[in-house]
Amino acid sequence: MRQFYLLLIGIIFSTSVWAQGTGSVVGVLSDKEVNNEPLPFATVQIKNTTKGTTTDFDGLYEIANVEAGTYTLVFSFVGYETVEIPNVVVEAGKVTTVNTGLGATAAALDEVVITTTVSRESEVALLLEQKKAVSIQQSIGADELARKGVSDAAAAIAKISGVSKQSGGTGNVYVRGLGDRYLNTTYNGLTLPSNDIEKKNMDLDLFPSDIIQNVAVSKAYSTKFYGDFAASNIDVISKDYKGKGFLDIQLGSSINSRAIGKNFVRSEGTGYFGFYNRYDNNPFAVILSHPVDPVNGGEPININGSISGGKSFEMGEGGRLSLFATASFANDYEYRRGSAADFTTVEKQVYDDVEEFEYSTTTTAMLNAIYSLSSGHKITFNSLFLNSSSDEVGNFGIDGNGRNRDAILNTDKGFFTKNIQFNQDMIFVNQLSGLHTFDDKLELTWGVGYNKVFSNQPDRKRFALENYDRALDNDPDTNPSFYNNTNFDNQRYFQSIEDEELNSRLNLEYTVSDNFKLNFGYNGRSKERFFKNIRYGYDLIEPNTPVTDINNLDSVFNVPNLGSVYDTFVFRSIAPELGIDNRNFPGLDENKYTGNLDIHAGYVNAEITTGKWLFVPGFRVESFNQSISYDVINLPPDASGYAESYENFYLPSLNVRYALNDDSNLRFSFSKTVSFPEFKEVAPFVYEDVTKRVGGNPDLLNDPAVSDVYNLDLKYEWFFGKSELLSIAGFAKEIRNPVNLVIANDATGTRRYFRTGEKANVYGIEVEVRKNLVQDANDNAVVSAGVNGTYMHTKQDLRSSNGLFSSTLDRDDELQGASPFLINADISYSPTSFENYRPVANLVYSYFADRIDALGSGQLGNIVEKGYGTLDFVWRNEIGENWEVNASAKNLLDPDIEYVREGTSFGDYTTSIYRRGINAGISVKYKF
Amino acid sequence: MKTNYLLTGLTAAALIFASCEADDTAEIVINNTDNSVTNNNGGSTPEEPSTGEAIDLEGTKTSDLTLDINNTYTLTGPLVMAPNTKLTIPAGMTIKAASGANVYIAISQDAVIDAQGTATRPIVLTSASTSPAAGDWGGLILLGRAPINSTAGGSATSTSEIGGLPYGGSDVSDFSGVIRYVRVEYSGGAADGQSENNGFSFYGVGNGTTVDHIQAFEGKDDGVEFFGGTVNASYVSVVNAQDDSVDWTEGYSGTLSNVYIKHGVSHDKAIEADGFNTDIGNNSNPLYFSAPTVNNLLIIGQGNTTDTEAVRLRAGTQGEFNNVIIQGYEEAFDLDGDSGDSPTGQGVVDGLLFVDTVNFEDISVKMKNDTGFTFTENDFITNEGDATGTDYDTWKAGWTVE
């Protein structure tokens, strides 16, 4: 079909050139690095003439007005093998079609023509995109992901300069020191929901690399992004497939050095695949029907498997349907042993010996269907389902030496906490998008997405014991007893969040001339969150009720004992007027809130090329409406239960590129953006963790409801060889009225969100180098290395706030989450001398320096996450056409993951330390 | 599984996986045919016939509220007196509170309470339940503008554990009203997982306020707690508090005179004293710690058994205890602290924390020093054996219960 299309073009041109006795050469250039997909922006020249052109976005080229004769065509592209095709005969009034492919390796003439759009899996292609991009952006594609053994999107973008990922499976990503609240995540250009009450962004750990074609991190703002932008927009592009058909099956297994051999436990009622089936029941029915003790968690051997397939069909006249589907399952056993403490200026709760078992699963399924017409129209449907679960059992104080300064019987030892917690997040994303080109001038792209998230924490169980040392003394006559200061020290807790979002994008690109392009667009999103929780406290009726077997709490909390050994309590009784009070009856939801966010935005930008300059001025107008209505316990009685803000933002931006020469660019970017509060930051609900309490603050929606952000970027980039790059960037940001999480002035020390000062500033430089160290005879990299580093200086002024809540701050400090220094490095060895065996070995290293995890207020110092380095080794082996055998050893350094409270009168106090263990695994993939 | 999953594309996958897990949860059915037994709201249970109306009390009052002795009041939710209002409760009045930690009376900063009972006609705030139990309802909360060391001073405020109301300031002699012959029963319900009501909570209350003859009876949490402030209280009785009977923190510096504490089976400390709020740190400038004076104190425990402790002094608290009798604990005074931000031992060394005139009866350990400072029992305790405590039998008559 493409050939037919080309032919038409050819005929049109040939009629116009007939009179001059010339012909033309047309064709499509394909990218052998990327399944022979079109290669844009490559140079095509007729040797020994001045005639030439570059391929367009679809790899198409045409050289018109060529005098009849025999020529040699030269195809070249940065980083690719140059191909010369001799004996190309051009006849007057005729069109000669020359289709070939370019690749990083020596080319053979190849005339395969494939109707596709660009693909962005290849590292080289992504570098090209980065080079051509109108704004500052970095991507990592499927190839690089596979090579570096990256298993998910969070790990993927952590390979990009200035990006780091927080330890401990939180999925927290920091870009230039700015964390979750300053990032946006999109999926195929449409908003992605968050799976976690604590987050604005999806946990990118949940995106296995099977789904990812590439992940693009845009650190400079452009008008197509939502105005809520301070650090970056992360766009995950889903994989698609346009070839003749394929089917891959992969199976793998791994073990963790610290988990292996442990007797794993997990929650009762949850499944091996990470699902839970009691959501439809009233929580009170659940606690009466089901026991509390954890159950056997199985052998700690991780398995993973995936199946992917694709096929492409011709459909009707000039139509093509391309299908790609993938499904995967992976689980992970982790055992953490270390210490945990809540230390303010004194030891509040200290557990010198903590063990945590975590069993987590990720299940994904993705379907991508593309219907394209050769007339320049394309409709894509994408449906994504993710289920992630985490099943944690934590025993705090197993050495009998746990301390709680508010313990009743003994404050010096024997305090013990058991926490059994299951979290399940189910995410459904459905997107329909389209691309339509109308003649050469107009291109319309659009998309609508519907997202739904169910994030549940069903039946978390928490128990507190005193005198636990007496369980360890082998004397059956001395036993620990329940700590029962309040009715809720022993409890079961249920929380559910439901998010629903409809969002859309529309962009019309109008090419006025080769040097002038205009974009007009619209973005809209409408999001709603429902939150509710309830908890049942177990109040032991007798003081100091003994615990004879910590592993058999079911013998205490069973139905016959209800009302005789223990009572249950809720905060809100269901019908006190009927005598159904808060004791031994089901209750009403403890806390509820509903958040709404509506955004509508229109924008315009221009791409103006003059000589070596590219200017992209843009302007976006965004209307923002956010509201929260809440009904939560223990608030001032006159708290309104509602907060709302409506504002319009006017956001100018300018991106400039100056091409110093063919291989290097200078870029400049300036923009004004905003940052607005998240639902969790404004809803005054307080989440009570084992050692900390975090709540929102509706005052954030008062004037000012948003932070204005000013962004400035300057970057030099030099693409000096095949897959080689040097870039140096400087950046500066100013965030007005920033929001921070700090300990509020209240009698229980709850952490809340406040606008803590006038402004925060970030300045930094980033350097990135990718270089081939050893090349074979054909200039292919045998040994290559990449390193990127970021140095940052951050500063914010911190001042006290007063409102519904208050905080005490008076100092300047660094930004929370900002490491002054980050580095990512990798070295790759890929010998090319074997016939049917293509191994690639990679060593990947990342390091971040100490960073603030939580700001201290008043007399309290900051909680700091200590810096550490990680080292992964990945060894891929492609054997023949069908087999791939991969081995990996990750977290080889197994560093201490440590958090400290700084500035105590005893120096730094370690509040948490543990190691995650080395993961060694092997997997086999078969391609049919 | 919810039906709206049907809106989504990959529903089948989710359904297949989810159906792997069993759900054998039983239904709950509440058979509540006998309202008269469990109804604890008092409405249908006539007690003292009254000529007046039955009135529910709750909400934020922005004008003065004077209760009429002829009416029957039920506290059904938080009753908050807004700034510049006055709550007047006449002698002899009993106010019954419906169940719930969110049922309490709070006197905001700049509001005033006038609750003056008499020995024969005390004011009683109690549970409305027919089978009342500790923790049925919140309690009485006063908030003032006297200094607290949780903030840097000046007009800065903190917010209360219950209800999130502001307190603290710089007015040492702030006036929050008069409380006299008032008994609070069955209070101390948990307002969230960490926040508990007390019998009487004094948040930054100044010494212009009058507090005498108060009793906290059968409280789930503390009996009387002082969050900073300078208020003085005399003739304080705390009986069967399940947590600490008297608790101070956040730089409290008033004088307590004639204090009677009796522990029930379930209890924590008789006195738990903090120099500052260790959740948020000591933010005062210049730095100071709690330093009250306690005169004429009688503490009666459940007997000298393992892990029982009468007075815990920690987080740098200072203070003087004059004329004290402690009966029936393993430990009498347990001092906790460190050489850094919680210099409780420094107070002893400097003569700012001491016990003068004390009797220990049925006590194994008179003083336990975990402060990191070196001092002797004699540095902390002087004049042992001459104490008289307080003559509870005399002043309890008529208005207290036990």
Side-chain angles (χ1 to χ4, degrees):
Chain A
M1 284 154 305
R2 181 64 83 181
Q3 274 170 319
F4 175 70
Y5 183 49
L6 288 177
L7 198 59
L8 277 178
I9 296 172
I11 290 167
I12 294 162
F13 275 100
S14 59
T15 50
S16 63
V17 298
W18 183 265
Q20 282 99 37
T22 56
S24 62
V25 185
V26 299
V28 60
L29 187 63
S30 54
D31 186 342
K32 300 174 74 169
E33 295 296 299
V34 198
N35 289 335
N36 288 318
E37 298 201 1
L39 179 62
F41 312 119
T43 305
V44 187
Q45 277 195 304
I46 297 176
K47 201 171 182 178
N48 301 323
T49 73
T50 56
K51 286 196 175 295
T53 185
T54 52
T55 57
D56 70 6
F57 217 57
D58 292 317
L60 302 173
Y61 71 93
E62 63 96 11
I63 306 170
N65 301 326
V66 183
E67 289 188 25
T70 302
Y71 299 95
T72 296
L73 278 185
V74 182
F75 296 87
S76 63
F77 178 63
V78 178
Y80 277 30
E81 189 71 16
T82 298
V83 169
E84 295 193 3
I85 297 174
N87 304 319
V88 176
V89 178
V90 177
E91 297 176 50
K94 288 195 176 176
V95 176
T96 305
T97 302
V98 180
N99 300 331
T100 187
L102 280 192
T105 53
L109 193 69
D110 189 347
E111 292 209 297
V112 177
V113 179
I114 301 170
T115 308
T116 51
T117 51
V118 281
S119 175
R120 291 284 171 269
E121 295 186 11
S122 147
E123 284 182 73
V124 175
L126 288 165
L127 275 182
L128 166 72
E129 187 171 279
Q130 184 174 335
K131 181 180 167 191
K132 291 289 171 185
V134 295
S135 69
I136 297 172
Q137 158 183 333
Q138 273 173 287
S139 302
I140 182 165
D143 280 5
E144 190 178 352
L145 295 185
R147 181 171 64 79
K148 292 185 180 169
V150 171
S151 55
D152 58 66
I157 70 162
K159 309 296 177 200
I160 288 175
S161 56
V163 178
S164 72
K165 187 189 161 194
Q166 195 174 34
S167 51
T170 62
N172 275 330
V173 167
Y174 294 95
V175 178
R176 291 173 167 175
L178 295 171
D180 180 66
R181 71 184 312 279
Y182 295 113
L183 310 178
N184 271 321
T185 309
T186 53
Y187 179 62
N188 298 320
L190 289 163
T191 332
L192 245 194
S194 164
N195 57 297
D196 183 346
I197 172 73
E198 288 300 315
K199 303 274 183 56
K200 173 174 149 195
N201 292 277
M202 171 74 83
D203 181 350
L204 292 173
D205 281 338
L206 302 181
F207 274 89
S209 39
D210 290 327
I211 288 178
I212 306 167
Q213 182 186 78
N214 76 67
V215 187
V217 177
S218 299
K219 292 188 259 186
Y221 181 75
S222 75
T223 48
K224 68 181 175 190
F225 298 134
Y226 283 98
D228 182 21
F229 176 105
S232 84
N233 189 89
I234 299 164
D235 193 21
V236 179
I237 304 293
S238 64
K239 244 182 197 170
D240 56 26
Y241 178 77
K242 290 135 192 163
K244 292 170 188 162
F246 84 103
L247 182 64
D248 284 352
I249 290 179
Q250 175 266 327
L251 283 173
S253 180
S254 66
I255 51 167
N256 182 290
S257 62
R258 294 185 185 273
I260 196 74
K262 298 291 186 300
N263 293 319
F264 260 74
V265 282
R266 61 180 164 89
S267 302
E268 185 279 332
T270 64
Y272 182 77
F273 291 100
F275 286 81
Y276 177 86
N277 199 24
R278 295 174 185 158
Y279 295 121
D280 284 348
N281 299 295
N282 185 297
F284 194 62
V286 173
I287 72 165
L288 292 184
S289 295
H290 300 293
V292 297
D293 291 321
V295 298
N296 186 350
E299 276 301 309
I301 295 171
N302 306 331
I303 61 149
N304 61 78
S306 68
I307 179 164
S308 302
K311 196 160 175 57
S312 208
F313 313 87
E314 291 194 19
M315 281 186 71
E317 187 76 6
R320 189 163 190 88
L321 178 66
S322 305
L323 298 176
F324 174 78
T326 180
S328 72
F329 171 77
N331 64 11
D332 187 53
Y333 288 88
E334 187 168 298
Y335 175 80
R336 299 185 290 267
R337 186 85 179 253
S339 70
D342 178 9
F343 186 95
T344 51
T345 59
V346 298
E347 291 186 342
K348 295 188 64 65
Q349 274 186 58
V350 181
Y351 304 100
D352 296 329
D353 197 352
V354 175
E355 68 172 3
E356 288 181 280
F357 300 90
E358 181 171 3
Y359 173 71
S360 53
T361 71
T362 307
T363 307
T364 62
M366 196 263 282
L367 171 72
N368 195 71
I370 303 173
Y371 180 65
S372 56
L373 283 167
S374 55
S375 51
H377 301 278
K378 186 170 97 169
I379 304 276
T380 304
F381 173 71
N382 186 284
S383 182
L384 172 71
F385 165 68
L386 287 172
N387 181 75
S388 76
S389 74
S390 152
D391 212 328
E392 278 183 290
V393 177
N395 295 314
F396 295 73
I398 52 177
D399 58 351
N401 197 31
R403 303 183 292 287
N404 181 344
R405 80 189 295 269
D406 292 319
I408 292 173
L409 300 180
N410 191 338
T411 54
D412 298 327
K413 63 178 179 182
F415 204 83
F416 180 90
T417 298
K418 189 178 192 73
N419 190 60
I420 306 161
Q421 175 171 335
F422 174 75
N423 290 54
Q424 186 189 5
D425 307 314
M426 274 182 286
I427 295 108
F428 298 84
V429 177
N430 289 279
Q431 300 180 340
L432 192 65
S433 55
L435 180 151
H436 308 277
T437 48
F438 306 97
D439 62 49
D440 293 342
K441 299 284 187 196
L442 286 176
E443 183 181 282
L444 178 74
T445 53
W446 56 270
V448 283
Y450 174 74
N451 305 331
K452 190 99 201 177
V453 178
F454 300 91
S455 183
N456 290 297
Q457 190 178 96
D459 205 4
R460 184 189 76 199
K461 299 140 191 141
R462 192 173 288 167
F463 301 100
L465 272 57
E466 294 197 83
N467 285 333
Y468 183 68
D469 47 312
R470 295 182 186 171
L472 307 173
D473 63 4
N474 293 321
D475 178 352
D477 297 330
T478 62
N479 286 309
S481 58
F482 286 105
Y483 174 67
N484 197 37
N485 183 28
T486 79
N487 293 341
F488 298 92
D489 289 320
N490 297 283
Q491 58 168 256
R492 294 171 85 165
Y493 177 93
F494 300 76
Q495 174 177 298
S496 97
I497 305 162
E498 200 177 315
D499 272 8
E500 186 170 42
E501 173 165 346
L502 195 60
N503 65 94
S504 59
R505 62 179 162 87
L506 181 70
N507 187 79
L508 183 67
E509 180 183 289
Y510 175 54
T511 307
V512 181
S513 71
D514 284 353
N515 297 326
F516 188 51
K517 215 187 258 185
L518 282 169
N519 279 288
F520 304 92
Y522 163 83
N523 292 128
R525 58 188 292 213
S526 176
K527 178 178 177 180
E528 186 159 48
R529 165 171 295 174
F530 300 101
F531 171 95
K532 65 176 181 183
N533 79 320
I534 187 168
R535 119 180 85 169
Y536 287 86
Y538 283 129
D539 184 47
L540 282 307
I541 290 168
E542 290 300 317
N544 308 331
T545 301
V547 180
T548 50
D549 182 359
I550 180 66
N551 295 315
N552 187 8
L553 297 179
D554 294 338
S555 65
V556 179
F557 300 109
N558 53 42
V559 174
N561 284 349
L562 178 66
S564 58
V565 174
Y566 68 92
D567 289 327
T568 67
F569 277 90
V570 291
F571 284 102
R572 297 188 199 242
S573 28
I574 203 164
E577 67 282 5
L578 298 176
I580 300 177
D581 62 11
N582 59 356
R583 185 194 309 251
N584 296 339
F585 278 121
L588 296 177
D589 292 333
E590 181 179 314
N591 297 290
K592 286 188 287 196
Y593 70 79
T594 303
N596 283 88
L597 175 69
D598 285 285
I599 291 175
H600 299 281
Y603 63 83
V604 56
N605 71 47
E607 293 175 27
I608 305 158
T609 313
T610 60
K612 294 184 163 189
W613 291 91
L614 170 71
F615 295 93
V616 188
F619 191 74
R620 181 177 175 107
V621 180
E622 192 163 298
S623 111
F624 157 82
N625 186 11
Q626 185 175 343
S627 65
I628 187 111
S629 64
Y630 52 88
D631 182 6
V632 310
I633 57 170
N634 200 18
L635 272 193
D638 56 347
S640 65
Y642 186 76
E644 181 173 11
S645 174
Y646 177 81
E647 287 201 35
N648 290 315
F649 311 135
Y650 304 95
L651 308 173
S653 63
L654 176 65
N655 286 293
V656 178
R657 186 182 79 207
Y658 177 70
L660 293 164
N661 54 48
D662 279 357
D663 292 333
S664 57
N665 291 319
L666 208 52
R667 294 175 183 277
F668 164 85
S669 172
F670 171 78
S671 58
K672 182 193 170 194
T673 56
V674 292
S675 168
F676 48 77
E678 301 159 47
F679 294 143
K680 65 137 195 240
E681 294 173 345
V682 293
F685 155 72
V686 176
Y687 183 83
E688 298 176 28
D689 205 345
V690 176
T691 53
K692 67 182 176 193
R693 299 155 47 84
V694 180
N697 182 358
D699 286 347
L700 295 187
L701 282 180
N702 297 344
D703 194 38
V706 297
S707 305
D708 286 339
V709 184
Y710 298 91
N711 309 285
L712 185 67
D713 287 85
L714 193 62
K715 184 174 184 181
Y716 167 77
E717 57 192 14
W718 178 29
F719 301 83
F720 59 86
K722 184 196 287 185
S723 358
E724 292 178 323
L725 162 75
L726 167 69
S727 80
I728 300 168
F731 56 89
K733 288 177 187 295
E734 179 162 312
I735 302 167
R736 301 267 171 90
N737 303 302
V739 171
N740 273 296
L741 181 62
V742 290
I743 289 183
N745 292 340
D746 76 16
T748 51
T750 304
R751 296 180 189 194
R752 290 190 191 266
Y753 296 89
F754 291 94
R755 292 202 183 275
T756 46
E758 203 176 309
K759 62 177 181 165
N761 289 97
V762 183
Y763 310 97
I765 56 167
E766 289 171 352
V767 177
E768 176 164 20
V769 184
R770 294 193 204 185
K771 177 92 182 81
N772 297 337
L773 301 177
V774 178
Q775 296 182 327
D776 66 9
N778 299 315
D779 285 353
N780 292 307
V782 175
V783 179
S784 65
V787 59
N788 64 63
T790 303
Y791 174 78
M792 266 182 298
H793 173 73
T794 63
K795 184 183 155 186
Q796 59 179 334
D797 58 335
L798 298 170
R799 303 290 172 255
S800 300
S801 339
N802 254 324
L804 185 56
F805 305 105
S806 59
S807 64
T808 305
L809 286 166
D810 185 16
R811 66 171 197 275
D812 291 344
D813 210 332
E814 291 179 357
L815 217 56
Q816 183 253 324
S819 279
F821 186 62
L822 296 170
I823 190 164
N824 299 304
D826 70 277
I827 184 159
S828 167
Y829 173 60
S830 49
T832 53
S833 48
F834 306 104
E835 182 79 358
N836 273 319
Y837 172 46
R838 293 172 300 284
V840 184
N842 262 273
L843 209 51
V844 183
Y845 177 78
S846 297
Y847 173 81
F848 70 87
D850 294 2
R851 61 187 169 209
I852 297 173
D853 180 57
L855 279 169
S857 62
Q859 195 188 19
L860 308 187
N862 296 325
I863 300 268
V864 168
E865 183 181 10
K866 301 299 281 181
Y868 62 84
T870 56
L871 186 67
D872 293 346
F873 173 72
V874 179
W875 184 25
R876 284 180 84 199
N877 301 280
E878 285 182 51
I879 302 163
E881 290 301 309
N882 301 108
W883 290 96
E884 194 176 307
V885 178
N886 302 324
S888 66
K890 295 189 178 177
N891 198 26
L892 285 165
L893 304 176
D894 198 10
D896 281 335
I897 294 172
E898 182 179 11
Y899 292 80
V900 301
R901 170 80 73 185
E902 282 192 331
T904 79
S905 47
F906 314 102
D908 291 355
Y909 183 98
T910 298
T911 55
S912 169
I913 187 167
Y914 61 91
R915 292 178 174 197
R916 304 190 68 193
I918 297 168
N919 253 316
I922 186 157
S923 75
V924 177
K925 187 171 182 175
Y926 185 78
K927 302 174 191 174
F928 290 94
Chain B
M1 283 294 165
K2 301 192 177 181
T3 49
N4 48 13
Y5 282 23
L6 296 172
L7 294 168
T8 57
L10 286 160
T11 310
L15 285 172
I16 289 164
F17 277 107
S19 60
C20 300
E21 316 309 337
D23 176 20
D24 48 358
T25 306
E27 301 284 317
I28 6 173
V29 178
I30 302 172
N31 288 313
N32 190 42
T33 51
D34 187 5
N35 281 353
S36 62
V37 174
T38 52
N39 189 335
N40 62 0
N41 205 25
S44 61
T45 316
E47 289 178 4
E48 300 159 37
S50 163
T51 54
E53 307 167 67
I55 296 174
D56 287 350
L57 285 178
E58 68 169 285
T60 301
K61 303 296 176 192
T62 51
S63 57
D64 292 356
L65 176 64
T66 301
L67 305 187
D68 182 340
I69 191 69
N70 293 314
N71 294 336
T72 304
Y73 294 96
T74 304
L75 192 63
T76 52
L79 174 67
V80 177
M81 300 306 296
N84 306 312
T85 64
K86 180 178 183 180
L87 172 65
T88 306
I89 307 176
M93 169 154 280
T94 294
I95 299 176
K96 295 196 170 182
S99 288
N102 199 33
V103 179
Y104 57 83
I105 298 174
I107 311 300
S108 302
Q109 284 185 321
D110 302 331
V112 164
I113 184 171
D114 183 359
Q116 303 193 48
T118 66
T120 49
R121 303 190 72 209
I123 293 166
V124 180
L125 309 178
T126 189
S127 165
S129 173
T130 50
S131 53
D136 274 354
W137 68 291
L140 179 60
I141 298 167
L142 272 67
L143 305 112
R145 292 195 179 275
I148 57 177
N149 65 8
S150 303
T151 64
S155 60
T157 58
S158 183
T159 52
S160 61
E161 189 170 352
I162 307 298
L165 297 161
Y167 68 98
S170 53
D171 184 358
V172 171
S173 55
D174 190 34
F175 176 66
S176 294
V178 179
I179 300 177
R180 184 166 278 161
Y181 292 106
V182 175
R183 191 167 83 233
V184 173
E185 302 176 343
Y186 306 110
S187 67
D192 59 41
Q194 285 253 312
S195 307
E196 285 179 288
N197 287 276
N198 303 300
F200 297 83
S201 304
F202 295 98
Y203 287 95
V205 175
N207 62 20
T209 308
T210 299
V211 179
D212 64 69
H213 296 91
I214 58 171
Q215 185 182 33
F217 177 69
E218 288 285 357
K220 180 77 182 171
D221 198 57
D222 298 342
V224 182
E225 183 160 6
F226 299 91
F227 298 85
T230 54
V231 65
N232 304 316
S234 53
Y235 302 103
V236 175
S237 163
V238 181
V239 174
N240 295 351
Q242 293 187 11
D243 198 354
D244 308 313
S245 297
V246 172
D247 192 327
W248 68 68
T249 181
E250 300 197 30
Y252 172 60
S253 65
T255 297
L256 303 176
S257 309
N258 294 300
V259 179
Y260 172 79
I261 294 168
K262 182 162 189 276
H263 268 155
V265 178
S266 182
H267 64 87
D268 194 355
K269 314 290 181 280
I271 295 178
E272 184 175 83
D274 284 288
F276 64 97
N277 181 342
T278 54
D279 284 314
I280 59 180
N282 188 341
N283 301 319
S284 55
N285 186 15
L287 197 72
Y288 69 97
F289 295 91
S290 302
T293 300
V294 184
N295 299 324
N296 311 330
L297 169 66
L298 173 59
I299 298 174
I300 300 173
Q302 288 271 312
N304 181 345
T305 56
T306 311
D307 294 337
T308 55
E309 187 180 321
V311 180
R312 174 68 65 109
L313 302 167
R314 56 185 196 176
T317 192
Q318 301 160 2
E320 51 184 279
F321 294 84
N322 301 310
N323 187 21
V324 178
I325 297 175
I326 303 177
Q327 295 177 357
Y329 293 87
E330 185 180 34
E331 287 176 24
F333 289 92
D334 185 320
L335 281 66
D336 268 3
D338 55 48
S339 54
D341 296 319
S342 298
T344 314
Q346 186 72 52
V348 178
V349 172
D350 295 348
L352 297 170
L353 176 62
F354 60 84
V355 182
D356 183 358
T357 311
V358 59
N359 289 9
F360 297 108
E361 302 168 9
D362 191 19
I363 301 282
S364 301
V365 179
K366 294 171 192 169
M367 182 196 82
K368 184 158 174 262
N369 176 8
D370 292 328
T371 64
F373 285 79
T374 306
F375 51 85
T376 66
E377 210 166 85
N378 291 336
D379 293 334
F380 178 62
I381 297 167
T382 49
N383 297 324
E384 194 183 330
D386 302 330
T388 54
T390 184
D391 186 3
Y392 186 54
D393 286 340
T394 305
W395 56 264
K396 78 174 184 184
W399 64 281
T400 64
V401 291
E402 194 151 325

